[in-house]
Amino acid sequence: MSIINYIEKFKKLHRTLYTTPSHGQGDFVAPLTQKLLGRKFFKCDFSEIEGFDNLSNPKGIIKNAQDYASHVYDSKSTFFLTNGSTSGIIAAMLTTLHKGDKVLISRNCHKSVYNGLVLTGSIPIWIMPQYNKDWGIFETINLDYLEEVLYKNKDIKAFIITNPSYEGVMFDIYRISHICKKYKVKLIVDEAHGALWNFQKSLGTPSLMQGADIVVQSLHKTAGALNPSALLHIGNDSDINPKQIQESLNLITTTSPSYPLLINIESTIRYLDSEKGKFHIFDIVKNINRLIRTLKTIPNLEVYSYNNDITKILIKVTNLSGFELSDILFEEYGIEDELANEKSILLLTGLGTTKTKLKKIEKSLIDLCSKNLKITQNNSYTKNYIPTEPRVRYIPSLVWNQPYKEVELKYSLSRVCMEVITDYPPGVPILLPGEVIKKEHIEYLSNRQKIKVLM
Ligand SMILES: Cc1ncc(COP(=O)(O)O)c(C=O)c1O
C-alpha cells in the first residue's frame, strides 16, 4: 500500500496516540500558525507508529512508494529526501569518497558540495566551466580538458557536476559518463533543477538515462512540490550499493522525517507520471516557448538560448545591469526574479507557472523596454568579475573549525579565506574556507567591509 492510501485508511481507525509529535495531529496548533496554515497539515504529521514506516530503514509503505518511484524513473533505487538535495549530495559524497580521496568538481556546484567536502575529508580538484561574461554565467565544460584532468589524476574517485546549471545550461552527460567510466570515476549529477526532464524530454535528457551513477533532484524547484523535498536515484548500471546510500543518508538526516513532505513527494511523482501531469508540463512548455518567441521580438531585450532548459528564462536588457533590471521589475511591476547578476536576470518557472503569470512578465517587459529608461549606472552593479580557478591552500576539512579572525577586505590579499562566500542564489562558491583570496575577489566583494581569514 502507498503512503497516501495508508494514511487515508489510518484516519478511519480512530486510534488514540500517545506518541510524538505531541500536537496530536492538530489537537494543538500554535494560534498564529493555525491562522496561517490551519490544522489540515498537522493532521497528516506522524512519527513511526504502528503500520507506518521508517525512512531510515523502509520496509512498508515508504518502501512501496520508493519502489514505485524507482520504476517511474527507471533507476536501480530511488530514495525520498525530506532534507532537500543538499542531503542527497552529501550522502552521495559520503558513499563514494573516503578521507584523502580526490574528487573532481565543476566549480559551478552548489555550496552543499562544500559541506560534503568537510564531512568526507576528500580533496577537491576544481574544474572551471567556460564563463560567459556577456550573461554573467558559467556554461559548459570542455570535454577534452576533462579527459586530460582524469588522465593526469588517475586517483580521482568521483566527479560531481551540476546539470543543468542554475541558469538551465545542460551538459553532455552521455559523453561525460563514458569518460568517467573509462577512468573508473563515479559520476554524481546534481540535477536539482532538472526534475521535470523525466516527464518531458524536450526540456532535457535525464542524467539517469545517460549513465550517471547517482542523480539528485529537487522536487521543489521546478516540479511544484513543497520545500525541501528531493530524490536521490542510483543509475541502473551503477555498482553503487543502495544500502551504503541509506547508511550515508542516516548519518546526516533527521530521525523524524516529515510525513506531509513524504505524502507530497509521493503524490507529486504520481502526478508527474500521470497523463494529466504530462499534459500539464507539455502545456507549460508550450506557453513558455510562446512567451520566449514574443520576448525575442522586443527591442533591447535578449533571451538566453544556448542548449538550456527553457523553464529557466534568462534575459537581459540593453544598457541595464541584471541588478538594475531586477530592481525595476520589483519596484515598478511587483515582480521578483529568482536571481540577478551583473548582466542578466533569471525567471524560474515550473508546475505553478500559470498563463496569467507568463502574461504579466510579458506585458511588464514590453512596457519596461518601451520606456526611455534613465539608467543609474551604479558602479557597484557593473563589475566585470570573471571567476578563475581557485587556489586551494588547505582542503575544507582541514580548516573546518580552525581559529579565524576578521580583517578589512582591502588588507586580505593572499590570506586564507575562512568563509563560504557565494551569491545566493545560485549558491555557487566565490571563495571557500582554505582558499587564497585574490585581487579579483577583493574587487568583486568591494561592498563588504570585512572578511574572515585564517589566524
Ligand atoms: C544546483 C543546486 N543544487 C542543490 C541545491 C540544494 O537543493 P535543496 O534546496 O533541495 O537542498 C540547490 C539549491 O538551490 C541548487 O541550486
Side-chain angles (χ1 to χ4, degrees):
M1 192 178 288
S2 74
I3 302 173
I4 296 161
N5 293 350
Y6 185 74
I7 289 182
E8 276 170 349
K9 185 180 143 198
F10 179 82
K11 283 185 167 177
K12 292 184 191 134
L13 298 177
H14 301 295
R15 249 186 236 154
T16 310
L17 304 181
Y18 298 87
T19 66
T20 59
S22 65
H23 57 65
Q25 286 64 52
D27 286 344
F28 167 78
V29 180
L32 293 178
T33 308
Q34 191 177 338
K35 202 169 151 206
L36 273 177
L37 285 182
R39 279 175 199 274
K40 260 198 153 158
F41 197 87
F42 284 73
K43 286 187 185 299
C44 291
D45 191 32
F46 295 96
S47 296
E48 291 78 22
I49 53 173
E50 193 58 38
F52 280 66
D53 202 358
N54 189 335
L55 187 63
S56 61
N57 182 20
K59 292 194 167 117
I61 54 176
I62 295 177
K63 180 173 187 316
N64 295 344
Q66 291 190 154
D67 285 351
Y68 165 74
S70 169
H71 170 73
V72 168
Y73 288 90
D74 194 16
S75 67
K76 178 166 154 185
S77 295
T78 291
F79 296 81
F80 288 4
L81 309 176
T82 58
N83 294 72
S85 284
T86 298
S87 63
I89 289 164
I90 297 170
M93 293 175 74
L94 285 166
T95 302
T96 51
L97 298 166
H98 291 106
K99 193 171 172 186
D101 280 350
K102 283 187 188 163
V103 51
L104 186 64
I105 309 166
S106 89
R107 184 63 174 187
N108 62 338
C109 68
H110 181 254
K111 70 194 192 95
S112 52
V113 173
Y114 162 76
N115 306 2
L117 286 170
V118 172
L119 292 171
T120 56
S122 52
I123 302 169
I125 312 280
W126 296 102
I127 186 163
M128 301 299 288
Q130 284 141 9
Y131 190 75
N132 184 332
K133 60 181 183 353
D134 293 335
W135 289 88
I137 62 167
F138 281 109
E139 287 178 334
T140 52
I141 283 174
N142 180 317
L143 297 192
D144 291 335
Y145 181 60
L146 170 69
E147 177 134 22
E148 193 186 315
V149 174
L150 293 180
Y151 179 77
K152 284 188 185 153
N153 296 272
K154 297 248 171 41
D155 49 352
I156 286 177
K157 294 288 189 295
F159 177 32
I160 305 175
I161 187 166
T162 309
N163 181 57
S165 68
Y166 209 110
E167 297 84 5
V169 179
M170 296 187 274
F171 292 82
D172 187 345
I173 296 296
Y174 185 75
R175 280 187 60 204
I176 292 174
S177 74
H178 268 78
I179 297 172
C180 285
K181 282 186 178 66
K182 184 166 155 193
Y183 293 92
K184 298 191 170 31
V185 167
K186 294 280 178 265
L187 178 59
I188 300 169
V189 183
D190 172 356
E191 207 171 85
H193 290 270
L196 294 180
W197 293 1
N198 303 74
F199 310 95
Q200 176 51 252
K201 304 283 186 295
S202 74
L203 287 175
T205 311
S207 303
L208 262 183
M209 287 172 56
Q210 301 186 72
D213 287 283
I214 299 175
V215 179
V216 179
Q217 296 178 317
S218 289
L219 286 176
H220 62 96
K221 294 198 189 297
T222 51
L226 279 168
N227 273 341
S229 42
L231 301 171
L232 183 152
H233 310 282
I234 302 176
N236 253 327
D237 298 330
S238 174
D239 59 5
I240 297 278
N241 183 351
K243 284 199 184 120
Q244 194 53 49
I245 290 281
Q246 185 69 69
E247 284 181 22
S248 302
L249 283 169
N250 294 353
L251 202 62
I252 52 161
T253 52
T254 174
T255 51
S256 310
S258 157
Y259 262 90
L261 279 192
L262 292 173
I263 292 170
N264 189 232
I265 292 175
E266 186 187 33
S267 65
T268 300
I269 296 170
R270 282 184 186 278
Y271 180 73
L272 294 172
D273 192 42
S274 67
E275 283 312 307
K276 195 170 172 198
K278 285 180 188 153
F279 182 76
H280 185 170
I281 304 169
F282 173 79
D283 200 44
I284 287 173
V285 170
K286 193 179 72 192
N287 295 335
I288 295 172
N289 270 321
R290 192 176 299 144
L291 168 72
I292 291 174
R293 278 198 300 277
T294 310
L295 295 185
K296 283 184 171 169
T297 65
I298 303 176
N300 296 325
L301 188 137
E302 263 186 87
V303 185
Y304 182 83
S305 40
Y306 169 77
N307 193 28
N308 60 322
D309 172 336
I310 57 146
T311 59
K312 323 259 170 195
I313 308 173
L314 193 69
I315 55 172
K316 61 179 181 176
V317 170
T318 315
N319 290 333
L320 284 186
S321 74
F323 298 116
E324 287 164 327
L325 174 58
S326 177
D327 286 352
I328 297 170
L329 281 173
F330 186 74
E331 279 153 24
E332 294 185 21
Y333 301 91
I335 286 174
E336 185 156 353
D337 51 49
E338 173 71 7
L339 68 81
N341 63 38
E342 315 88 81
K343 304 290 178 188
S344 53
I345 65 159
L346 179 71
L347 304 163
L348 187 136
T349 65
L351 277 202
T353 308
T354 56
K355 262 187 179 172
T356 318
K357 253 171 110 171
L358 294 177
K359 203 73 208 160
K360 167 141 186 176
I361 187 74
E362 180 186 315
K363 274 186 164 171
S364 307
L365 286 169
I366 290 174
D367 187 63
L368 186 152
C369 290
S370 70
K371 286 182 185 163
N372 220 345
L373 287 164
K374 241 189 164 179
I375 300 144
T376 51
Q377 282 297 0
N378 182 340
N379 276 341
S380 65
Y381 279 169
T382 50
K383 299 167 196 158
N384 270 321
Y385 171 65
I386 299 182
T388 55
E389 204 161 316
R391 207 179 310 148
V392 179
R393 175 81 52 82
Y394 300 105
I395 62 169
S397 60
L398 265 186
V399 285
W400 169 256
N401 216 4
Q402 291 302 316
Y404 62 82
K405 64 176 180 184
E406 279 199 313
V407 297
E408 298 228 7
L409 182 74
K410 58 184 177 208
Y411 300 128
S412 67
L413 185 67
S414 301
R415 303 290 303 255
V416 173
C417 176
M418 284 295 279
E419 291 181 58
V420 176
I421 300 182
T422 71
D423 288 325
Y424 208 93
V428 168
I430 295 167
L431 266 170
L432 290 177
E435 292 177 0
V436 177
I437 301 166
K438 299 192 233 171
K439 194 165 153 259
E440 75 235 29
H441 296 129
I442 297 178
E443 275 163 18
Y444 182 68
L445 300 171
S446 61
N447 278 349
R448 57 191 286 164
Q449 294 279 308
K450 298 203 163 180
I451 187 164
K452 290 177 187 158
V453 296
L454 189 64
M455 294 255 271

